[in-house]
Every structure is written in structure tokens, then in C-alpha cells.
Amino acid sequence: MTVLKTSLLHTVKEYALITLGILLYVLGWTIFLISNNLIGGGVTGISSIIQYATSGFIKVGYSYFVINAALLIIALFLLGKGFGGKTVYAVILASIGLNVFQDIIPADFIQVLSIDNGKLMSTIMGGILVGTGIGMTMSQGGSTGGTDIIALIVNKYRGVSPGRMILWIDVVIICSSILVPSYTPSGELLPFTDKLVNIVYGLILITVNSTVLDMVLSGSKQSVQLFILSKKSSELADAITRDLHRGVTVLNGEGWYTKTPAQVLMVITRKADLSIFLRYVKTIDPDVFMSVSSVSGVYGRGFEGMRGVKALKRRGAADAEVPQSEGSGAEAPQKD
């Protein structure tokens, strides 16, 4: 059986990881946050406020789906087709999960795991699960929709940082909960002092959430640089670009001990793909010599965008150009 990931298997893997990410996201909300009447940021935070205000009559999943559907339609017209099938899949799955899991998870389980451990611990655990879930979804090209769409729209027309915009939106959502009545799952009206305390927990939640999200995303985007020496360099270069969808730069060198010409292949790939990469290369040349080193930043096709250059272009600096170095391998196809 070949070690290569076919296009179908790669797609299945992406959607499987998105599904797992959404599962963690939903579990974080249903077990730790909703059960404690805690408020978070984003569309889910708005939806939780609606559920608390209606004493559970309008569940989180319903308003979550309606708001996200409206935002996705707006994004389609203002931002183009950047929000594709993975985002729609993630939103639908989360909408169903946020409703269904509130009914199927036993109350005794939530009592022992969440409520008995207090709101602070629930805030931390919920933030970890939610942040991990969003990070896994985003690392596979998906999105949970929500206020990040609003932030991108504002960024497009006003140039405000999306991260800062999302932070301020989350703060406004959390603080606005003080103006809306909130009922516990048992139907009791939450006292005003408890609502004030929940705002503090909400601010802690978005801090934990964003920290974990950054950790997950930075881990999934770590890259490595490989130098490959092989007698089958041409065959390897063709196979890497054709089957592994990575660019290859060929460096002409000379083996100083043997005094013979040599071709060195330089490849940059994701750290997560390193294992499959090494096994594949070994199947072509068992005697291959390779060195692997971590790189702190990779910018260009298939990796991270040059954000500074994009900002200059938005400001009308048409003369700003990015120098292209020779032998960069940019002409080769790149795929995450």
C-alpha cells in the first residue's frame, strides 16, 4: 500500500479534524460554560445570552445558525467566495451539536465535572476546549464563522486590525449581558451580582481561549527545511513536486571528498507532514542522505502571506514590490 495521501484521503482527513475540532468546541460550551451560565465572545456568546434570557426556550444552536447564516451571506457579497464549504460544514455541525449535546449529556456528569468544580475551573477548562476546537478547525482551512467575519469586513474598508476588532467585539458582547435578564437551567433568575461576576469570568474565558488558539495554530504551522542528497535527485524532485505538492530548489554543489558534482534538493514543508515526507523519499532512494532543521518563518505560496506587503497595497502603494530571489522554487505547486 502506497504511503502517499491521495486527494480523497487528504480531504477526508481535513473534514475528520474539523469534525473533531467542532466536537471539542461544542463540548467546551455545553459541559463547562452553558451549564454555569457563563458568557463568551463571538456568535456563540450572543446565542448563550439569548438562551439564558429565554430560560432555555431558544437554544444556543438555533440563534447560532441564524446569525452565522446571515453573516455568511453578507461575507459572500463583501468578501467574495473565501468562506467555502468547510466553514458551512463547521457552522451546521456546531449548530446541531450545541443543541443536541445539551440534551444527551447526563446532568450528573455535568454536575460532577463542571458545576462542583466551580466557575473559575469551568472557565479555564471551557476556554481550553473551545480554543483547541477553533484552532483545529482553522488549521484545516475551516472556520466557525461568527464575529471574525465582521472583523474582516471592517478590516477591508477601515484597515482596523482583525485581532483587535474581534477582541473589542467580544468585550462588548460579554459586557452587554449585564443588560439582559439571565435564568439558570433550573429556571431561577440570576442575581445582578452574579451577572457581574460572570462578566469577569467571560473576560478570563476569551483570554484563555485566544491563548490556546494561538498555541494550536502556531503548532500546526511550524515548518521544516530539508536538504536532500541523492543519486536519484531528478527522480526525487519530480516525485516531490508531483505527489507531495511541495516546491523543490535544486542547488548545484560538489562532494569535496569525492570531487564529484552533486545536486542538493532544498525543500520546505510543514512539520506535521514530515513523517509521511521522509517515508516517501526513502521508498524512492533507501540510501538518501537528508538533514532536517526547523525554520521560524516561511512566507509565500503554500505558507504564510506577506501581511506587511498586503497592507501597503491596500493603502495604495502600488509601487511597493516584493523582490523575488532566484531559485526560490515558487513556480512549483504548493499545497498545505
Side-chain angles (χ1 to χ4, degrees):
M1 179 178 178
T2 179
V3 297
L4 287 177
K5 297 178 287 185
T6 64
S7 178
L8 177 61
L9 289 177
H10 185 70
T11 302
V12 170
K13 172 197 169 187
E14 288 180 338
Y15 276 89
L17 289 175
I18 289 175
T19 302
L20 178 58
I22 293 298
L23 176 63
L24 295 176
Y25 179 81
V26 169
L27 289 175
W29 270 99
T30 53
I31 294 177
F32 295 101
L33 304 180
I34 295 176
S35 61
N36 284 285
N37 275 74
L38 293 171
I39 308 294
V43 171
T44 317
I46 298 174
S47 302
S48 65
I49 294 175
I50 294 174
Q51 174 169 320
Y52 303 152
T54 59
S55 193
F57 180 73
I58 302 178
K59 287 188 176 181
V60 172
Y62 295 125
S63 49
Y64 177 87
F65 177 79
V66 171
I67 297 172
N68 269 303
L71 289 173
L72 286 171
I73 292 173
I74 294 172
L76 181 64
F77 287 101
L78 298 181
L79 299 177
K81 298 180 180 180
F83 293 88
K86 292 178 182 178
T87 296
V88 174
Y89 172 76
V91 168
I92 294 175
L93 192 64
S95 301
I96 296 172
L98 287 167
N99 281 355
V100 172
F101 276 79
Q102 290 188 63
D103 296 327
I104 66 175
I105 298 178
D108 293 341
F109 179 79
I110 294 178
Q111 179 71 36
V112 173
L113 192 62
S114 173
I115 299 176
D116 289 349
N117 286 318
K119 289 190 175 183
L120 179 59
M121 182 59 68
S122 296
T123 298
I124 296 173
M125 292 302 300
I128 291 174
L129 285 178
V130 169
T132 303
I134 296 176
M136 291 180 64
T137 302
M138 293 180 67
S139 69
Q140 302 305 312
S143 168
T144 55
T147 52
D148 56 342
I149 297 177
I150 300 176
L152 289 174
I153 292 174
V154 174
N155 173 258
K156 179 178 179 180
Y157 294 100
R158 289 289 182 266
V160 181
S161 166
R164 182 179 301 176
M165 191 67 193
I166 291 173
L167 175 62
W168 282 111
I169 292 174
D170 288 346
V171 171
V172 170
I173 291 172
I174 292 171
C175 292
S176 67
S177 64
I178 198 71
L179 305 175
V180 183
S182 181
Y183 294 89
T184 65
S186 61
E188 299 177 358
L189 181 64
L190 201 67
F192 181 79
T193 53
D194 287 356
K195 291 169 68 176
L196 285 175
V197 173
N198 281 351
I199 289 177
V200 177
Y201 285 128
L203 298 176
I204 296 174
L205 173 63
I206 61 175
T207 302
V208 174
N209 185 14
S210 61
T211 302
V212 174
L213 173 60
D214 288 342
M215 292 174 62
V216 173
L217 288 180
S218 63
S220 67
K221 292 182 179 179
Q222 286 183 352
S223 300
V224 292
Q225 180 175 268
L226 296 93
F227 286 101
I228 304 172
L229 288 88
S230 169
K231 295 180 179 179
K232 300 179 179 180
S233 57
S234 297
E235 184 180 349
L236 277 174
D238 289 338
I240 291 169
T241 55
R242 182 185 65 246
D243 298 328
L244 297 178
H245 305 289
R246 284 297 173 194
V248 179
T249 299
V250 180
L251 307 175
N252 293 318
E254 180 181 347
W256 193 250
Y257 180 77
T258 60
K259 300 297 189 293
T260 57
Q263 287 186 324
V264 182
L265 307 182
M266 186 188 77
V267 182
I268 295 179
T269 188
R270 297 291 189 192
K271 189 174 183 180
D273 297 329
L274 180 60
S275 177
I276 190 77
F277 192 100
L278 295 178
R279 292 203 305 271
Y280 177 59
V281 169
K282 289 288 257 184
T283 60
I284 297 176
D285 183 5
D287 299 320
V288 67
F289 179 85
M290 288 185 289
S291 68
V292 181
S293 59
S294 298
V295 290
S296 59
V298 182
Y299 303 95
R301 179 189 287 181
F303 294 91
E304 303 306 305
M306 301 291 283
R307 296 182 181 178
V309 174
K310 291 181 180 179
L312 286 175
K313 289 182 178 179
R314 284 198 301 267
R315 291 181 174 87
D319 57 339
E321 296 179 356
V322 182
Q324 297 287 340
S325 59
E326 295 183 359
S328 63
E331 75 283 352
Q334 296 280 5
K335 184 176 180 182
D336 285 341

